[in-house]
Amino acid sequence: MAGWTPQTAWNTIRRTRLIRVLAVYAGASFVVLEAVDIFTQQIGLPDWFFPGAVALLLIGLPIIVATALVQGAPAQTSGAESLSLGEPLPELSDPTTAAEVAAVAKHWLTWKKAIVGGVLAFALLGVIVTGYMAMRVLGIGPVGSLVAAGVLDERERIILADFQSQTGDTLLAAAATEAFRIDLAQSPLVTLVDPTHVGQVLRRMQREPTARLDLALAREVAIRDSDKAVIAGEINNAGLGFVLSAQLISAPTGEILASYRETANDSAAIIGAIDRLSKKLRERIGESLVTIRGNEPLKSVTTSSLEALRKYSQAVRAIGTEGDSDKGIALLEEAVALDSTFAMAWRKLGAESGNRGETDRSVQALRNAFKYRERLTDRERYLTVATYHTGVTGERDKSIIALSTLLDTYPDDPWALVRLGIEYAELRDYEQAEQLQLRAIAAAPYSLFGYFNAIVAQVALGKAAEAETTLVHFAENLPGNPIVPNARGLMAAARGDYSSAEAAILELQRDWGRSLGWRSAASNSLAALARIRGRLADAERHSMEAMATGEQRRRPADYLAGALDVAGADLWFLGRTESAMARVEAALERYPLQSIAPVERPYLRLASFYALAEEADRARALLSEYEAAVAPELRHRAEGELHRTRGDLALAEGRLDETIPEYRLGDQGLCAMCAGFPLGRAYDISGEPDSAISNYERYVTDHSILEVFPHSWQLAPAYERLGTLYEQRGDTQKAIYYYNKLVELWANADPELQPRVDAARRAIAALSTDR
């Protein structure tokens, strides 16, 4: 254009004050976008609302620039008066003059029209968004939520089928399935059916519980279990990348309720693609966009390492479906080696190690899970915090707060209900514990831990009939699970039916002997049941089996525990101090305490053993070593046992004024009868028969499913002393009653114990003659 130079352009801009106008527009745009972003995040507006606002502002920019230039330019008169905005436009001549064009521009490009146009554009965007949100809330059309439309209910149970892989990589499909499960589990609107539950349904269908859950089988399980929907996913190759798809399908009809797909440029992008897929599906189901956006990206709450996720998914399957904890723990170790910040794998490793009694590994894993807890979903984070404070710091109040907070958002979370119930049981609030466990059972009928812990609480409350009913439901819903015969055996022992208890544990040993963990548990239970009835030779045989299994598991602590059982029986029942000491010394020579992790060393059991053997110096030395070797924050795990051991030492040294307070401090936790017998014995030795009788009777009448182990040492001696004390008091009826209890319990005891049984029979005969 003739005469157009940078200088003239700059002069024009200055005259029209364009820079000031653009600055004002930029500031106004910033305020608008901030408001749009706040509304999007706080109210849960759709993701496209913000880009829509940006588009409108970009469209408005040239209009604002043009308006500023036109309205700021000097009037073009060309020999005529300039036109006012209120006058009608003149007919343009042909050819159109520059003055006429300027006049038309000034008519249309006014500030009023620009502002009104912008307001109307944003109003239209608001109307579109409002209509979209209304359709979503009311369940109308393709954007309507399935919950609002009545297709699904809130907290609907949904089965996740195994992802299908067309890539030839089955482990990739397994990892994708687990990642999808983790992300979808964050939704408070749906409930994913636990794989353990699915396995039990498959077992009832006469199918292998480890069978791959493809779409057809998932629908069959859902129909059998009255679940409405299943989710199926697929991974396909797309050049160097992948295409992932997910469908929500009606289980009864096979109708596709929602279908989405995402692409991943390479394997490293798969986790992000799964994250996007899951969130789209959650939005379609009807979850609030606010809660969906509130979740951290999946790679931030799991792992950015696809290989670590593969290992984790294999471990979950090995533990939950195959029942192979050894394999599962090995895979979890590999997962955290690949990603040391993989908090979910650390938590799983800590929980599983703790279930196996591997305290040291459990504590270390839980510490790492807690350290990286910000890399967990909200649900997993609260569970981790609770488990950490229970298992590591002993701050039970913090654990209860974390679990209660989790249940505020996920009121039917079975793991949180079970864990909180255990916390209350430890506090001996068995009524609250029972209610929480029953809620866990209602939420997840195939979750085994709810049943077992409900039985613990019901037995403690003296609700024998309710406990039997719970056991029946347990067996019906989880047939073939090893905890069922174990619970049946402990229940029988709790009511004094030791023959039935032994039969149940033998069934456990027969069916689950392939598992070293269950083989060890069965051997220890059989040893305890034999010891209760005075069959010390049988008890020794079973303890030796447990010791051998401990060596197979490379757990020297288990070997020492078995040796202490055998030696303790020699010392406690038969008074064979020399042989008992020799057995313990041989075991310690085989596995010195220094070869065992400090927190797993049997310091306290050894100290109690030496106190009973009148080796007070050695007992005191072991207590000192315990306090030096085990970190203070970990001693809470055995706080009750520590006080009882101190009481044993004080009793051995004749410090009776210290004995009883220590035993009273040891009266805590789930083992409600553990301190009863020691207290009775302390009062007995102190010459206080009334207090001795009171504590002995509290011990023999307390209810606990866990009583088989303390009873194996103390039940017969308690009956014996109660018979003697009531005889000395002159209460013939009660003396006969307790002597008879001893005779019944030890009717088939080993020959070495029969003299004590004969003495009880003679006492019964003499007292009966006197009557």
Side-chain angles (χ1 to χ4, degrees):
M1 182 182 295
W4 184 261
T5 66
Q7 183 61 44
T8 59
W10 174 246
N11 291 336
T12 302
I13 290 172
R14 289 182 61 191
R15 285 197 304 271
T16 59
R17 299 177 180 175
L18 182 59
I19 293 176
R20 186 181 300 177
V21 170
L22 289 175
V24 172
Y25 188 74
S29 298
F30 177 79
V31 171
V32 168
L33 292 177
E34 280 292 304
V36 168
D37 185 56
I38 291 171
F39 286 137
T40 301
Q41 298 301 323
Q42 298 297 323
I43 302 176
L45 298 180
D47 290 332
W48 49 261
F49 182 48
F50 188 88
V54 172
L56 289 179
L57 290 170
L58 290 175
I59 291 170
L61 179 60
I63 296 174
I64 291 296
V65 170
T67 301
L69 291 172
V70 168
Q71 295 301 324
Q76 301 287 334
T77 57
S78 298
E81 296 293 328
S82 62
L83 295 172
S84 70
L85 292 178
E87 295 176 350
L89 288 171
E91 292 292 330
L92 296 179
S93 61
D94 189 16
T96 305
T97 67
E100 290 172 331
V101 171
V104 172
K106 275 208 169 188
H107 177 80
W108 289 108
L109 296 174
T110 67
W111 289 118
K112 181 179 179 180
K113 287 184 173 66
I115 293 171
V116 170
V119 170
L120 290 176
F122 273 93
L124 178 61
L125 179 62
V127 169
I128 294 172
V129 169
T130 301
Y132 175 90
M133 296 299 291
M135 292 175 67
R136 185 171 186 273
V137 170
L138 297 174
I140 299 172
V143 301
S145 83
L146 297 174
V147 169
V151 177
L152 299 176
D153 297 326
E154 285 195 19
R155 299 192 179 90
E156 186 73 64
R157 288 161 49 85
I158 295 176
I159 291 178
L160 177 61
D162 290 330
F163 268 58
Q164 302 299 307
S165 175
Q166 306 303 322
T167 66
D169 188 346
T170 57
L171 292 181
L172 177 61
T177 305
E178 192 59 36
F180 203 91
R181 182 185 308 283
I182 292 167
D183 194 86
L184 203 60
Q186 297 183 78
S187 172
L189 199 64
V190 299
T191 301
L192 275 184
V193 178
D194 189 89
T196 304
H197 181 126
V198 173
Q200 293 301 326
V201 177
L202 288 172
R203 194 184 297 274
R204 292 162 69 90
M205 293 165 57
Q206 307 299 313
R207 303 287 292 271
E208 281 296 322
T210 57
R212 182 168 181 79
L213 196 68
D214 58 20
L215 175 58
L217 187 55
R219 284 187 58 198
E220 194 176 343
V221 169
I223 293 169
R224 174 69 177 262
D225 207 34
S226 301
D227 297 324
K228 290 183 182 178
V230 299
I231 295 173
E234 190 173 281
I235 303 179
N236 292 287
N237 286 319
L240 298 177
F242 301 89
V243 174
L244 294 88
S245 60
Q247 294 180 327
L248 180 67
I249 300 169
S250 168
T253 66
E255 176 189 359
I256 298 176
L257 305 176
S259 180
Y260 300 99
R261 62 178 3 187
E262 286 287 342
T263 59
N265 293 331
D266 52 36
S267 60
I270 285 178
I271 295 175
I274 292 170
D275 192 17
R276 297 191 296 274
L277 267 181
S278 171
K279 286 176 170 52
K280 285 181 179 178
L281 202 57
R282 289 163 62 182
E283 180 180 353
R284 182 72 170 99
I285 291 171
E287 185 177 346
S288 164
L289 295 176
V290 174
T291 61
I292 293 175
R293 294 190 186 111
N295 296 151
E296 293 289 332
L298 184 59
K299 66 179 181 180
S300 298
V301 294
T302 52
T303 174
S304 57
S305 167
L306 183 62
E307 189 59 30
L309 186 60
R310 291 178 199 243
K311 299 292 185 183
Y312 178 79
S313 64
Q314 289 177 272
V316 169
R317 182 175 181 83
I319 293 168
T321 305
E322 300 170 11
D324 191 341
S325 62
D326 292 331
K327 177 182 176 183
I329 283 178
L331 287 164
L332 289 170
E333 295 276 17
E334 292 179 33
V336 295
L338 289 165
D339 180 2
S340 62
T341 67
F342 194 175
M344 195 170 289
W346 281 120
R347 191 186 82 79
K348 187 75 172 175
L349 180 60
E352 193 61 27
S353 300
N355 290 339
R356 287 160 50 102
E358 297 173 354
T359 307
D360 186 61
R361 175 155 52 183
S362 175
V363 167
Q364 295 304 321
L366 291 176
R367 281 175 171 162
N368 282 320
F370 187 76
K371 177 180 178 181
Y372 300 115
R373 63 190 180 279
E374 296 308 317
R375 294 184 56 80
L376 290 168
T377 64
D378 286 345
R379 174 181 178 274
E380 287 281 337
R381 186 182 306 115
Y382 284 123
L383 286 174
T384 296
V385 169
T387 308
Y388 172 78
H389 286 305
T390 297
V392 179
T393 69
E395 297 172 287
R396 199 172 299 283
D397 55 336
K398 292 184 179 180
S399 177
I400 290 174
I401 290 171
L403 293 167
S404 300
T405 304
L406 172 58
L407 289 170
D408 287 341
T409 305
Y410 303 94
D412 296 325
D413 188 285
W415 279 107
L417 290 166
V418 167
R419 285 299 319 163
L420 189 57
I422 292 172
E423 298 291 358
Y424 280 109
E426 288 279 359
L427 295 172
R428 300 187 183 174
D429 184 349
Y430 294 114
E431 291 184 358
Q432 181 79 339
E434 180 196 20
Q435 293 306 311
L436 287 163
Q437 301 299 349
L438 292 178
R439 281 176 57 191
I441 292 170
Y446 297 91
S447 174
L448 56 94
F449 295 110
Y451 289 102
F452 185 81
N453 288 293
I455 290 170
V456 170
Q458 288 167 336
V459 170
L461 290 168
K463 296 182 176 181
E466 290 87 341
E468 290 290 347
T469 299
T470 302
L471 181 60
V472 169
H473 292 321
F474 190 4
E476 289 174 348
N477 288 320
L478 289 146
N481 190 286
I483 297 183
V484 172
N486 188 54
R488 186 181 297 120
L490 295 175
M491 281 279 292
R495 64 174 181 268
D497 185 355
Y498 299 114
S499 295
S500 296
E502 185 179 41
I505 301 302
L506 285 170
E507 176 190 339
L508 171 67
Q509 188 182 58
R510 183 189 67 240
D511 295 343
W512 287 89
R514 65 184 183 279
S515 164
L516 293 179
W518 280 113
R519 187 191 307 172
S520 177
S523 295
N524 282 316
S525 292
L526 290 170
L529 289 169
R531 205 159 41 240
I532 284 176
R533 292 179 286 175
R535 290 161 32 190
L536 302 184
D538 287 344
E540 179 175 348
R541 176 170 53 84
H542 292 304
S543 291
M544 295 288 284
E545 292 169 355
M547 292 164 67
T549 305
E551 289 193 297
Q552 284 183 270
R553 298 174 71 196
R554 297 180 181 178
R555 287 187 48 77
D558 289 357
Y559 183 92
L560 291 181
L564 279 166
D565 281 344
V566 177
D570 263 0
L571 181 63
W572 177 247
F573 292 107
L574 304 174
R576 296 173 179 170
T577 304
E578 187 176 340
S579 62
M581 294 276 288
R583 189 181 290 271
V584 170
E585 294 303 321
L588 287 171
E589 185 176 346
R590 188 182 185 97
Y591 293 110
L593 291 178
Q594 287 67 30
S595 66
I596 305 171
V599 75
E600 295 182 20
R601 296 172 190 169
Y603 284 120
L604 301 180
R605 281 204 65 188
L606 278 167
S608 289
F609 171 83
Y610 284 121
L612 183 63
E614 299 181 356
E615 293 282 345
D617 289 343
R618 299 187 69 173
R620 193 182 307 105
L622 282 163
L623 276 174
S624 297
E625 191 175 337
Y626 169 78
E627 292 173 353
V630 179
E633 67 270 19
L634 297 179
R635 293 179 203 156
H636 72 89
R637 304 174 68 92
E639 186 176 355
E641 186 182 0
L642 174 59
H643 285 297
R644 293 191 294 271
T645 301
R646 287 173 176 165
D648 292 342
L649 177 57
L651 185 64
E653 294 181 328
R655 295 181 282 113
L656 297 178
D657 57 326
E658 298 178 30
T659 302
I660 292 171
E662 287 290 354
Y663 283 151
R664 289 202 179 282
L665 289 171
D667 190 7
Q668 58 178 277
L670 282 173
C671 191
M673 83 293 294
C674 286
F677 181 86
L679 276 168
R681 182 164 171 257
Y683 281 116
D684 203 352
I685 293 172
S686 300
E688 299 182 52
D690 291 344
S691 295
I693 288 173
S694 174
N695 281 281
Y696 282 142
E697 287 200 318
R698 178 171 74 89
Y699 163 71
V700 299
T701 56
D702 269 343
H703 301 284
S704 173
I705 195 175
L706 308 174
E707 67 191 5
V708 63
F709 296 102
H711 274 1
S712 70
W713 301 98
Q714 301 165 355
L715 187 58
Y719 286 152
E720 190 174 38
R721 285 303 298 160
L722 280 167
T724 301
L725 290 169
Y726 274 118
E727 182 180 5
Q728 292 171 352
R729 180 186 279 187
D731 190 334
T732 303
Q733 183 176 356
K734 285 193 174 180
I736 291 174
Y737 172 80
Y738 283 114
Y739 280 137
N740 269 320
K741 296 291 285 186
L742 174 64
V743 170
E744 291 170 8
L745 186 65
W746 274 5
N748 297 309
D750 288 353
E752 295 92 335
L753 297 177
Q754 286 302 324
R756 293 165 69 174
V757 179
D758 292 339
R761 288 195 178 103
R762 288 194 299 271
I764 292 169
L767 290 168
S768 299
T769 301
D770 291 344
R771 291 180 66 187

